[in-house]
Amino acid sequence: MPVPQINMIRTAITTAIVPQARQGPFVFHDDLPGSIAKAAGLGFDAVEIFPPSAGALDIPDIQKRIADHHLKVAALGTGAGWVIHKLTLTDPDPAIRAKAIDFIKSIIDAAAAFNAPAIIGSMQGRHADGQRDQALDLLADSLSLCATHAKRSNLPLFYEPLNRYETNLFNRQADAAAWIRSRKIANVKILADLFHMNIEESNVPAALMDVGDLLGHIHFVDSNRRAPGLGHTDFTPIVQALKSLNYKGYVSAECFPIPDSDQAAQQTINTYKTLFHS
Ligand code: LER
Ligand code: MN
């Protein structure tokens, strides 16, 4: 039975098939068919997939498994472009930037086969000392190119501010949202990751309200990057903020498989049922 929903908030769980990301904050690792079956069995609406490349995905096979399990794909991550190939959208070298954009476009196209958006997280990169303005110009241009490409499939592109240990471009939601608005970067929505927000924001619900209609996706996770309910985040005001925004996107569990994948998945769906039960 699907989890009862309010406000059309939909539930998702992350699954990574990138060997270099085995220690990363993803609930399921390595076994995409198995994690699709488990996600459906627990009542999630969707899976969020972190692939090594577009070419590594057997799209017809995944489409069939997703359809057979009445699931959706919430989003596809692009972080392998950084983790495996060290490509970023703000690299000062135009040849590396071009490769980064091509890598992302190929993931955007693969995601479109599932009617899902792609996520720009670690591929945003970081700026060198004294180079912030130049890097933000490069980020604006690169995001615009990728978002224009996504628009051809009528899908947005998600941009994710990260905590200070992972980027120095945007760490706080309001700063990123104001920048996207002032630069008029079309078709980009913000991905708010509650783990990064726990480090960077003074008030998480207020920061979500600042993002407002630019909010496109949420990485729903506790303060310590464990499954929701295993840390000290107070989710009640966060859910209230989502309700008052009439948020209709996914709450996608991007957390460590602690104590293991199955227990983190079960913990997540239990918490979702409590928080999002109408
Ligand atoms: C990385 O910390 C993260 O949160 C990912 O979602 C970025 O792709
Ligand atoms: Mn994230």
Side-chain angles (χ1 to χ4, degrees), residues 25 126 166 233 242 253:
R126 56 182 78 210
E166 298 185 37
T233 294
L242 297 180

Side-chain angles (χ1 to χ4, degrees), residues 25 79 119-122 160 162 166 191 193 196 219 225 254:
I119 296 169
I120 310 295
S122 50
E160 180 177 9
L162 304 174
E166 298 185 37
L191 191 172
D193 182 322
H196 300 305
H219 281 159
R225 222 169 201 181
E254 187 185 71

Side-chain angles (χ1 to χ4, degrees), residues 126-132 134 168:
R126 56 182 78 210
H127 68 76
D129 285 350
Q131 300 294 307
R132 181 172 180 80
Q134 292 88 332
N168 53 10

Side-chain angles (χ1 to χ4, degrees), residues 136-186:
L136 291 187
D137 285 346
L138 295 177
L139 184 65
D141 289 349
S142 302
L143 281 181
S144 290
L145 285 169
C146 295
T148 301
H149 190 78
K151 182 76 182 164
R152 295 188 344 199
S153 306
N154 247 333
L155 289 160
L157 180 70
F158 293 149
Y159 169 69
E160 180 177 9
L162 304 174
N163 75 68
R164 65 192 69 181
Y165 305 108
E166 298 185 37
T167 189
N168 53 10
L169 294 172
F170 287 106
N171 305 126
R172 290 161 62 96
Q173 305 295 316
D175 295 341
W179 177 76
I180 288 169
R181 288 188 174 110
S182 72
R183 293 277 187 133
K184 298 186 169 45
I185 303 174

Side-chain angles (χ1 to χ4, degrees), residues 78-255:
T78 61
W82 165 249
V83 172
I84 300 176
H85 304 291
K86 301 297 173 220
L87 301 172
T88 78
L89 292 179
T90 52
D91 196 296
D93 181 340
I96 295 181
R97 268 196 329 274
K99 280 188 190 164
I101 290 168
D102 280 351
F103 184 89
I104 289 167
K105 283 183 176 172
S106 68
I107 301 252
I108 288 171
D109 291 340
F114 305 106
N115 203 31
I119 296 169
I120 310 295
S122 50
M123 281 200 74
Q124 67 192 274
R126 56 182 78 210
H127 68 76
D129 285 350
Q131 300 294 307
R132 181 172 180 80
D133 288 350
Q134 292 88 332
L136 291 187
D137 285 346
L138 295 177
L139 184 65
D141 289 349
S142 302
L143 281 181
S144 290
L145 285 169
C146 295
T148 301
H149 190 78
K151 182 76 182 164
R152 295 188 344 199
S153 306
N154 247 333
L155 289 160
L157 180 70
F158 293 149
Y159 169 69
E160 180 177 9
L162 304 174
N163 75 68
R164 65 192 69 181
Y165 305 108
E166 298 185 37
T167 189
N168 53 10
L169 294 172
F170 287 106
N171 305 126
R172 290 161 62 96
Q173 305 295 316
D175 295 341
W179 177 76
I180 288 169
R181 288 188 174 110
S182 72
R183 293 277 187 133
K184 298 186 169 45
I185 303 174
N187 203 37
V188 170
K189 295 264 184 185
I190 285 192
L191 191 172
D193 182 322
L194 300 182
F195 168 72
H196 300 305
M197 293 179 76
N198 175 61
I199 295 170
E200 299 294 347
E201 307 288 351
S202 46
N203 182 324
V204 171
L208 292 170
M209 297 305 290
D210 287 338
V211 177
D213 63 358
L214 279 184
L215 186 61
H217 194 76
I218 298 185
H219 281 159
F220 205 89
V221 54
D222 219 315
S223 52
N224 49 7
R225 222 169 201 181
R226 296 190 184 192
L230 298 183
H232 59 71
T233 294
D234 179 4
F235 289 107
T236 304
I238 293 173
V239 173
Q240 275 165 359
L242 297 180
K243 275 190 198 179
S244 61
L245 286 170
N246 199 19
Y247 176 70
K248 292 188 167 70
Y250 283 99
V251 286
S252 185
E254 187 185 71
C255 57

